[in-house]
Amino acid sequence: MVRVMIAQLRRRRGRAVALLIGMLVATTGFTVLTSESAAERLQVTSTVSANARSVYDILVRPKGSQTSVETRSGLVTPDFLSGQFGGITLDQWHQIQAISGIDVAAPVAMIGYVYVQADFRIDVTSAINRSKATQVLRLDRTWMADHGSTSLPDPAAQYVYVTTRPIAWPRGDPDDPTWSDGKKRRNSSRCTTSDDPEFIANPIEIEPDGSERVLCEQHELDKNSDKSASMMIARILPDGTFETGDQSSTKTLTVDERWPIPMLLAAVDPASEAQLVSLDRALTSGSYLSEADVKPDDSDGIVRYTVPVLATDQPALDEQLVVDVEALHVPDGADVATAGWDSPEAHVPAVLSAAPATRVSQQTLTADQEYINTIANPPFGAGQLAFMSGVAFAQPSPATFATNLDGSLRPQPAPPTDPDQLNFGQTQGSGLPVLPPLFGDTAFRALTPYVPGGDVSSPSIVSIVKAGTFNPSKIEKSASLGAASLETYQQPSLVGADAASKAALGGTQLQADGNTTGYVATPPALITSLGSLSQFRLPKPISAIRVRVDGATSADPLSRERVRIAAQRIEEATGLDVDITLGSSASPQTIDLAAGRYGRPALKLTEGWTRKGAALAIVSALDRKSLVLFVLILVVCMLFLGNAVAAVVRSRRRELAILAYLGWPRRRLVGLILGEVGLIGLIAGAVSAAAAISIAHLANISLTSGHALLAVPVSLGLALIAAAAPAWRAGRVRATTALSTSVRAPRRAIRNRRRTVAGIALANLRRSPGRTLLGALALAIGTAAVTVLTSIDRVFHDLVTGTLLGDAVSLQVRGVDLVAVLATVILGLVAVADMLYLSIQERSEEFAALRAIGWSDAAVGRLVAYEGVGIGVLGVAMGVAAGLVSTATFAGESVAGLIGIGIEVALCGVVLTAVAATVPAFLQRYLSVSAQLAEE
């Protein structure tokens, strides 16, 4: 029988060569693509493993703390801790520590904002005109942020009266003062506007005629009043130095200022934090935190809380103070230091408010630098950064978001916070409100006061004492593509997302400023220990617990399973919200931020959020996609081969019937067909192995000899599977059925009704249901393959992109995807074209008969084209529907989301089928009428 097989292949060598080329292309493509895909999968998994782990694997938060955005899309804001204050007990933390498999359980308790008072001085020496007997300077201050787009002029101007005349300064007991010239003077009410004036001792200027004039001054500004102003008195001594009421002789004249700078305070367990993120190795000065409990001191009836902290040395605050020093042109001897300066709402004399001014200097100070100066030289001595009474901390709520039509997130404004209702603490003894000037800018968070001890009426003092400083950049971080924004100490990243926003920010980031109700929240800048927090006696002080699982090293299956089991145990033991952060990745989101009250325009920003579980989704999607790619390539190849073998079997019906008549059993008929196709498969496999090695070498693809030799069994198996059904049908051939036509006679109703060429084409399709269905099925499988392939590719890239890790992976696998799609499309088109060509050959007698009765070549060509289009429409419709349903089931994507892909594939399929049908429609005119009729 082997000789019969070889003879048949030689006799039909055209068809044999076509089968050989088809199997060669499919097997070579499959071999090379699987090798390249395996290499790229290894690269992808390596990339995922290297970047999938953050500094912790599990995040534990209070029940119900997830935002609506996080619940809906798995996205976590970079400031997720800045709006979470308490909710987890110390007992629950200890329960987590005791769970088997937990390496580190590091709690963090957010306490609230502390307003550190930065004391600094404005040097006005260069603005002094030493030739004038008296002069007045005015300091106009402007608070700025957001690269200058936020600008707030300070209504409380500072005036400086400078004289060369002698001044007697009050000294000693304010109720019974003695002036610096040794004299006692009677009470004066010149410097008050009160109906019931109280004596206030003020400096006295000695006029040239010996008379005395009381100079009214006010050192502190009432920033809650838009009428507030202050007057400072200074004298130029004969030696050129300066004298003020609270300064001895100095070479420079400076004006004291205070800058309230908000710092977020958090408490940690020092040992756990050192183990998790190496906080102890990030110190730049001082000593690390102690784990010992700190008890409040109430020995004198006033509760005194001492909170030792590590202070950041990189505050990253975008806030500036611009000071314009102006010389006022006022007449010599004008009464400028008159009554009212020391009243709660100081008024400015008309002679000053109406005086022309000349700017003589400008100075710009930054919040960052003033904060650095403050932590280097704490204002209250003994390392005390803040010394406050009453309400000590402000706790902002999380920002809430609405989703725009384009998918961007729009932070929702919050009601403005009334400082009086908050009853914020004040710097001890100064009477100066601690709120920064920019506090009144647009609010996106509501502030709540936190009162140590729970009773604002109870006397208490909180002292924030510096134990050391730390550098946030030295704290251990996640991998570059990992869950960066889940880190506790990292500054949020907000950059312009369009040209206008980039221009408004000057190409820099949007950073936090003095507005603690603003959108940008800062990470903890002051770190204390849970031992210090224990003195506040909070029932649920912990905001979150970051857990690292023992033995979890990457996103591999074993690590994922260990983390999953640990997370399950934590949830069962505590009942808290538990999120697996292993495999999370940064996912930039577009933020549509409304305009500020002080000039900042509306901004479109890109902010680095985190998508939970991105790595697992990438690996799973990659596995699904690779499986679909290679299965579809083989399916399309089998379609091509099966259709070709079926055509061969149909064309040899008479031969097979004769062999059956001569006594060939069914198994020999089946074996004959399988043997012929299997022989072609073996040859194709051997050639494919050699071709694959050459192609891989030219394309710089890693392909081992063992992998290349797999082409032989793949090609043989592919050939035998594709030929199985046609061979089985060949074994069922009988002489009587083989010599009869397989085309049904047209029904009278159809014959009478179909008069046009299109109608006859439709009738022909219905007359030959087997052939029509086979052609439609061939096209349907090819169309379904392309639909599934395109859909899976798009679903995969839509799934993995949007995170830094996913974007990197998407670029790595895009090449193989494109080649696989192209290979599948080409094989599908070849299968359809081959089916149509074989159909023309099988029906050559029919076309010859049509010409014999007078049909023109154009009419016959249209008939063939119409039949091809009809098969195409039926096959494309079936294929697209099957492809969409398969993708939706396999990839978990809704059919509605893939309709666009289905329409695109359907249109392309119909057009390509029509083009393919024109080829046999054109070739049919070369059929010989006489030869075909004679054969018939």
Side-chain angles (χ1 to χ4, degrees):
M1 193 168 66
V2 174
R3 285 182 297 176
V4 175
M5 296 177 191
I6 296 175
Q8 288 294 335
L9 294 177
R10 293 179 60 186
R11 178 186 173 192
R12 294 178 172 84
R13 52 182 173 271
R15 175 52 47 184
V17 170
L19 288 174
L20 178 65
I21 292 174
M23 281 189 278
L24 181 63
V25 171
T27 306
T28 303
F30 179 79
T31 303
V32 174
L33 284 176
T34 51
S35 176
E36 176 65 3
S37 178
E40 290 194 342
R41 188 187 187 284
L42 181 62
Q43 182 181 4
V44 167
T45 53
S46 176
T47 300
V48 169
S49 297
N51 293 278
R53 197 180 190 198
S54 62
V55 293
Y56 52 93
D57 307 313
I58 299 172
L59 177 65
V60 183
R61 286 177 289 176
K63 195 69 175 178
S65 59
Q66 291 188 357
T67 65
S68 59
V69 175
E70 183 179 353
T71 303
R72 183 172 65 251
S73 58
L75 289 168
V76 182
T77 63
D79 58 359
F80 72 101
L81 278 177
S82 298
Q84 177 63 50
F85 298 93
I88 302 176
T89 67
L90 294 175
D91 288 341
Q92 288 173 318
W93 168 41
H94 295 314
Q95 284 179 320
I96 294 174
Q97 286 181 307
I99 292 175
S100 174
I102 300 299
D103 183 24
V104 184
V108 56
M110 307 304 290
I111 303 173
Y113 278 99
V114 175
Y115 292 91
V116 174
Q117 299 292 332
D119 292 339
F120 62 98
R121 291 175 174 177
I122 304 295
D123 190 340
V124 297
T125 307
S126 61
I128 301 298
N129 185 346
R130 295 179 181 271
S131 63
K132 299 186 68 172
T134 63
Q135 57 192 299
V136 179
L137 303 178
R138 181 173 64 203
L139 278 62
D140 284 336
R141 289 155 296 193
T142 303
W143 301 89
M144 305 187 74
D146 307 328
H147 195 66
S149 61
T150 292
S151 178
L152 175 64
D154 197 323
Q158 169 78 56
Y159 292 87
V160 182
Y161 176 72
V162 183
T163 179
T164 58
R165 298 163 183 167
I167 294 180
W169 304 97
R171 299 286 189 261
D173 185 358
D175 294 329
D176 186 21
T178 299
W179 271 255
S180 58
D181 58 3
K183 295 182 179 181
K184 286 279 189 177
R185 290 172 171 83
R186 63 185 181 85
N187 294 349
S188 172
S189 61
R190 165 182 164 86
C191 294
T192 181
T193 57
S194 172
D195 294 335
D196 183 19
E198 179 183 355
F199 173 76
I200 298 177
N202 285 276
I204 296 175
E205 182 181 41
I206 310 301
E207 303 301 309
D209 60 1
S211 61
E212 297 180 354
R213 181 172 61 174
V214 176
L215 301 177
C216 303
E217 67 175 344
Q218 177 178 310
H219 293 288
E220 305 293 350
L221 301 177
D222 182 4
K223 294 184 182 296
N224 291 330
S225 171
D226 58 5
K227 299 178 181 179
S228 179
S230 67
M231 172 65 81
M232 173 182 171
I233 308 299
R235 180 195 176 195
I236 305 177
L237 298 175
D239 62 358
T241 60
F242 299 93
E243 180 185 57
T244 60
D246 55 357
Q247 295 180 5
S248 60
S249 176
T250 60
K251 293 182 180 181
T252 58
L253 180 60
T254 59
V255 178
D256 292 340
E257 290 279 359
R258 279 180 174 169
W259 197 333
I261 299 177
M263 293 284 112
L264 186 58
L265 175 65
V268 300
D269 174 56
S272 300
E273 208 68 16
Q275 191 176 357
L276 184 70
V277 298
S278 303
L279 178 61
D280 56 335
R281 293 201 291 268
L283 261 62
T284 54
S285 69
S287 58
Y288 193 53
L289 297 172
S290 170
E291 299 180 34
D293 288 348
V294 178
K295 299 184 181 302
D297 179 12
D298 58 357
S299 57
D300 58 356
I302 298 178
V303 180
R304 302 177 187 274
Y305 301 98
T306 301
V307 182
V309 300
L310 298 178
T312 181
D313 61 8
Q314 294 184 353
L317 292 170
D318 178 17
E319 186 172 340
Q320 303 84 39
L321 174 60
V322 178
V323 182
D324 288 320
V325 181
E326 300 173 321
L328 299 185
H329 303 288
V330 296
D332 184 27
D335 191 7
V336 296
T338 186
W341 286 109
D342 60 350
S343 65
E345 295 185 356
H347 68 272
V348 179
V351 68
L352 292 181
S353 60
T358 300
R359 189 174 75 180
V360 293
S361 68
Q362 185 182 77
Q363 301 180 41
T364 300
L365 301 97
T366 65
D368 276 1
Q369 187 56 54
E370 298 310 319
Y371 168 81
I372 296 299
N373 295 338
T374 298
I375 63 171
N377 300 284
F380 303 102
Q384 295 186 83
L385 295 175
F387 189 58
M388 299 170 291
S389 61
V391 177
F393 309 111
Q395 298 179 340
S397 65
T400 58
F401 299 88
T403 304
N404 296 326
L405 294 177
D406 61 359
S408 62
L409 300 173
R410 186 175 68 257
Q412 298 299 285
T417 303
D418 184 353
D420 293 334
Q421 292 180 354
L422 287 172
N423 189 28
F424 278 105
Q426 297 178 341
T427 303
Q428 183 74 8
S430 71
L432 178 67
V434 299
L435 294 181
L438 294 180
F439 180 81
D441 204 351
T442 302
F444 295 96
R445 306 170 189 271
L447 281 186
T448 303
Y450 163 58
V451 185
D455 184 3
V456 71
S457 63
S458 175
S460 63
I461 294 175
V462 177
S463 180
I464 307 295
V465 180
K466 183 185 74 171
T469 59
F470 72 97
N471 187 334
S473 64
K474 294 183 179 180
I475 293 176
E476 185 175 338
K477 296 179 175 62
S478 302
S480 59
L481 302 179
S485 64
L486 288 177
E487 294 166 11
T488 310
Y489 305 96
Q490 179 168 319
Q491 295 283 347
S493 172
L494 288 113
V495 297
D498 57 19
S501 299
K502 291 177 181 178
L505 295 175
T508 61
Q509 295 188 16
L510 180 69
Q511 294 181 313
D513 53 32
N515 181 19
T516 46
T517 67
Y519 175 70
V520 185
T522 61
L526 303 176
I527 309 297
T528 189
S529 66
L530 287 177
S532 299
L533 190 61
S534 65
Q535 61 187 316
F536 296 151
R537 297 187 180 91
L538 297 173
K540 296 181 178 181
I542 299 174
S543 302
I545 302 174
R546 297 147 300 156
V547 177
R548 187 165 63 200
V549 177
D550 189 20
T553 57
S554 65
D556 61 273
L558 179 58
S559 296
R560 296 201 304 265
E561 182 62 16
R562 285 174 173 169
V563 172
R564 186 195 66 79
I565 292 174
Q568 181 178 346
R569 290 174 177 173
I570 292 172
E571 186 173 11
E572 291 173 352
T574 64
L576 300 170
D577 279 351
V578 180
D579 288 312
I580 294 177
T581 58
L582 175 70
S584 299
S585 178
S587 178
Q589 300 297 308
T590 301
I591 305 297
D592 190 4
L593 192 65
R597 292 181 58 191
Y598 303 141
R600 177 184 57 75
L603 298 174
K604 190 172 286 292
L605 304 165
T606 299
E607 185 175 24
W609 290 35
T610 296
R611 186 180 297 278
K612 297 182 295 187
L616 177 60
I618 290 170
V619 173
S620 300
L622 180 65
D623 291 341
R624 292 197 305 266
K625 181 181 68 65
S626 298
L627 177 63
V628 171
L629 289 177
F630 303 134
V631 168
L632 288 179
I633 291 175
L634 295 179
V635 167
V636 173
C637 181
M638 285 189 292
L639 164 69
F640 170 77
L641 296 177
N643 183 62
V645 174
V648 170
V649 170
R650 290 196 302 272
S651 66
R652 296 169 61 183
R653 288 166 62 87
R654 290 186 176 89
E655 173 189 328
L656 295 172
I658 292 173
L659 291 176
Y661 184 79
L662 292 177
W664 278 45
R666 176 179 298 179
R667 57 183 177 80
R668 292 195 67 187
L669 294 176
V670 172
L672 177 65
I673 300 300
L674 290 178
E676 294 176 7
V677 178
L679 186 58
I680 296 175
L682 282 174
I683 298 173
V687 176
S688 176
I693 294 176
S694 300
I695 293 173
H697 178 72
L698 294 174
N700 196 26
I701 296 174
S702 176
L703 178 66
T704 64
S705 300
H707 192 93
L709 290 176
L710 287 177
V712 177
V714 168
S715 179
L716 177 60
L718 192 66
L720 294 178
I721 293 174
W728 178 258
R729 288 197 300 271
R732 297 172 61 87
V733 170
R734 294 292 180 268
T736 54
T737 58
L739 298 177
S740 62
T741 180
S742 62
V743 177
R744 296 179 182 177
R747 291 183 296 175
R748 180 178 303 276
I750 296 178
R751 184 177 64 248
N752 292 339
R753 190 166 60 242
R754 307 301 181 190
R755 300 297 183 186
T756 63
V757 175
I760 296 176
L762 180 59
N764 286 339
L765 295 178
R766 298 184 63 179
R767 287 174 55 226
S768 307
R771 185 171 61 225
T772 300
L773 185 60
L774 179 63
L777 184 60
L779 185 58
I781 295 177
T783 304
V786 174
T787 303
V788 172
L789 190 63
T790 307
S791 300
I792 286 291
D793 179 74
R794 186 170 302 180
V795 169
F796 170 74
H797 288 282
D798 287 347
L799 177 63
V800 303
T801 54
T803 64
L804 297 185
L805 181 59
D807 291 344
V809 168
S810 177
L811 293 175
Q812 291 175 353
V813 302
R814 177 62 78 175
V816 171
D817 293 355
L818 294 178
V819 173
V821 170
L822 182 62
T824 306
V825 171
I826 291 175
L827 286 173
L829 291 176
V830 170
V832 173
D834 186 62
M835 181 275 301
L836 292 174
Y837 175 75
L838 293 175
S839 177
I840 293 295
Q841 284 192 324
E842 291 176 12
R843 299 166 59 200
S844 57
E845 298 91 347
E846 176 183 332
F847 294 128
L850 291 175
R851 283 197 187 84
I853 63 175
W855 278 49
S856 66
D857 289 342
V860 175
R862 288 198 305 274
L863 177 65
V864 174
Y866 289 156
E867 290 183 13
V869 171
I871 293 174
V873 171
L874 178 60
V876 165
M878 294 167 54
V880 168
L884 293 181
V885 173
S886 299
T887 304
T889 302
F890 189 78
E893 185 78 3
S894 66
V895 174
L898 302 173
I899 290 297
I901 296 177
I903 294 175
E904 295 173 4
V905 174
L907 292 176
C908 292
V910 172
V911 171
L912 291 176
T913 305
V915 173
T918 59
V919 176
F922 176 78
L923 294 177
Q924 55 80 29
R925 66 177 62 195
Y926 295 103
L927 295 175
S928 172
V929 175
S930 58
Q932 295 297 333
L933 291 178
E935 182 178 345
E936 182 66 21

